[in-house]
Amino acid sequence: MWVDLSDGRTLSVPLAWFPRLLRASPSQREEVTISSRGLHWEELDEDISVEGLLAGKGDQTRPGPKVEAA
């Protein structure tokens, strides 16, 4: 996925970071609402913040690896 930011930067983000988008049809992916805060797909119940993209964060709803206390 390519995201063009208003400051002229373009981000390239793997769809694999966002399983709902990866499984969606091309027409479902096209139904995106863009705001100053990020991207939203109503039908897919997916929200991606610009802040998260800039930080290199993928889907935050997936559980991360368990870290055991030493």
Side-chain angles (χ1 to χ4, degrees), residues 3-46:
V3 179
D4 293 323
L5 302 178
S6 61
D7 64 6
R9 291 180 287 175
T10 299
L11 303 176
S12 172
V13 182
L15 279 181
W17 284 10
F18 304 98
R20 286 185 214 122
L21 290 179
L22 184 62
R23 291 187 303 265
S25 70
S27 62
Q28 287 175 309
R29 283 188 220 122
E30 288 177 10
E31 294 299 319
V32 61
T33 303
I34 301 171
S35 73
S36 61
R37 300 188 76 189
L39 309 166
H40 174 70
W41 290 263
E42 183 72 32
E43 181 180 346
L44 302 174
D45 191 28
E46 181 70 83

Side-chain angles (χ1 to χ4, degrees), residues 63-69:
K66 292 190 178 192
V67 178
E68 306 240 353

